[in-house]
Amino acid sequence: VQLQASGGGLVQPGGSLRLSCAASGRAFSSYVMAWFRQAPGKEREFVAAIYYSGAATFYADSVKGRFTISRDNAKNTVYLQMNSLKPEDTAVYSCAVSRQFTRNDLGYDYWGQGTQVTVSS
């Protein structure tokens, strides 16, 4: 599986961004897709994940109610809609795939290259 993340950028606090992660290779629909982020000087942390069919989603407490993860299996793409962005959301966001859900990044087999999100006035 190859993953290509896009959609990052500079946004003011309170603004919105939508990240996309396009997958190619193996059967995309059979994987759990997740987003992680890593801020400078900090460890990579779980942000959100979505299950095979899209019926189940999982979020970090810090983004719950502000971020929404979704997937389009026909387009082999997963999205992360980020609203009400805060400066503390600034990080490199990466998408990843796994055969089963976990919040631990060690459980993910394939990773995209990451896209920078900067929230600043």
Side-chain angles (χ1 to χ4, degrees):
V1 177
Q2 295 181 332
L3 304 173
Q4 180 70 40
S6 62
L10 173 64
V11 63
Q12 293 186 341
S16 298
L17 280 175
R18 188 176 81 155
L19 305 183
S20 299
C21 178
S24 61
R26 298 181 183 178
F28 170 78
S29 61
S30 63
Y31 284 86
V32 173
M33 298 292 296
W35 288 95
F36 286 78
R37 67 185 181 185
Q38 187 168 22
K42 296 187 176 180
E43 293 186 351
R44 185 160 54 190
E45 64 174 355
F46 171 79
V47 176
I50 186 165
Y51 216 60
Y52 313 113
S53 64
T57 56
F58 309 88
Y59 296 94
D61 288 343
S62 58
V63 306
K64 200 172 296 183
R66 300 187 298 121
F67 290 11
T68 302
I69 189 170
S70 61
R71 66 192 292 166
D72 184 338
N73 289 341
K75 296 183 178 180
N76 286 359
T77 301
V78 63
Y79 304 98
L80 185 68
Q81 178 66 44
M82 306 186 294
N83 298 328
S84 302
L85 283 161
K86 305 175 181 180
E88 51 264 43
D89 294 318
T90 296
V92 175
Y93 285 70
S94 300
C95 54
V97 299
S98 175
R99 294 188 181 276
Q100 58 185 10
F101 171 67
T102 174
R103 294 175 185 265
N104 189 333
D105 60 351
L106 296 178
Y108 287 79
D109 305 305
Y110 303 96
W111 290 84
Q113 85 289 358
T115 184
Q116 176 70 47
V117 172
T118 302
V119 185
S120 175
S121 55

